[in-house]
Amino acid sequence: SGSGSGRQRVQAATMSSHRPSHLRASSPINVAKDTRFVFVTGGVVSGLGKGITISSIGRLLKAGGLSVTSIKIDPYLNTDAGTMSPFEHGETFVLNDGGETDLDLGNYERFLDIELTKDHNITTGKVYSAVIEKERRGDYLGKTVQVVPHITDEIQNWI
């Protein structure tokens, strides 16, 4: 029947999802095999409207019936925005799980009507911390840890 096949498709999509190993079990981020990504880049120049662009594109995709989320990647070495100067970086937006991010994540939540977590904000500091933790644990089996491939692999795994 038509309704049975719809249920099977939903189950298949759920079963094809996987959780990257760095995410906590309670993290809402699941990546299905048919997931598509939209990247908005602008280097390190602030104030170009990248956050509003992402929010607007996401809103249009959501209006078209797609499920959307947003992940912000920042190049700074801080692990979050909590201790950064508001004069240099703007105010800190605190997520419901306590994650301290910049205001763009607040825009994403409002525009897209979704709840984000600290896992939706990736910083260079978080990535390097994760790689160093793995190195100290012995996960690299004595290899020399380098930007390529270890840092680049960690970024890809995070997304």
Side-chain angles (χ1 to χ4, degrees):
S1 77
S3 64
S5 63
R7 249 184 259 126
Q8 289 174 345
R9 277 195 296 272
V10 170
Q11 289 173 346
T14 303
M15 289 171 32
S16 70
S17 296
H18 72 281
R19 184 174 311 284
S21 61
H22 72 277
L23 292 176
R24 296 182 311 278
S26 62
S27 174
I29 300 174
N30 283 309
V31 181
K33 287 184 180 180
D34 60 350
T35 297
R36 301 294 183 260
F37 296 90
V38 175
F39 291 90
V40 176
T41 65
V44 295
V45 179
S46 187
L48 294 178
K50 297 180 297 282
I52 294 297
T53 300
I54 293 166
S55 297
S56 299
I57 291 170
R59 186 69 182 185
L60 291 171
L61 293 171
K62 193 169 182 177
L66 298 174
S67 175
V68 299
T69 192
S70 183
I71 299 172
K72 181 163 186 182
I73 305 173
D74 280 311
Y76 48 77
L77 288 174
N78 307 64
T79 56
D80 62 37
T83 59
M84 296 175 72
S85 169
F87 298 110
E88 291 180 24
H89 191 72
E91 293 181 26
T92 298
F93 182 79
V94 180
L95 300 166
N96 285 341
D97 71 348
E100 297 174 338
T101 66
D102 74 11
L103 290 175
D104 282 336
L105 274 81
N107 287 330
Y108 305 157
E109 284 192 339
R110 286 186 293 277
F111 270 71
L112 304 175
D113 192 30
I114 58 176
E115 185 174 313
L116 301 175
T117 69
K118 57 186 167 189
D119 290 329
H120 290 85
N121 183 234
I122 304 170
T123 68
T124 301
K126 283 183 182 179
V127 172
Y128 272 75
S129 291
V131 169
I132 291 168
E133 182 180 314
K134 288 179 180 179
E135 184 274 330
R136 299 311 305 155
R137 227 181 14 234
D139 292 3
Y140 299 118
L141 302 173
K143 293 180 183 171
T144 301
V145 179
Q146 301 179 68
V147 172
V148 177
H150 301 100
I151 296 295
T152 54
D153 286 351
E154 185 67 25
I155 294 167
Q156 291 175 37
N157 291 337
W158 202 294
I159 295 172

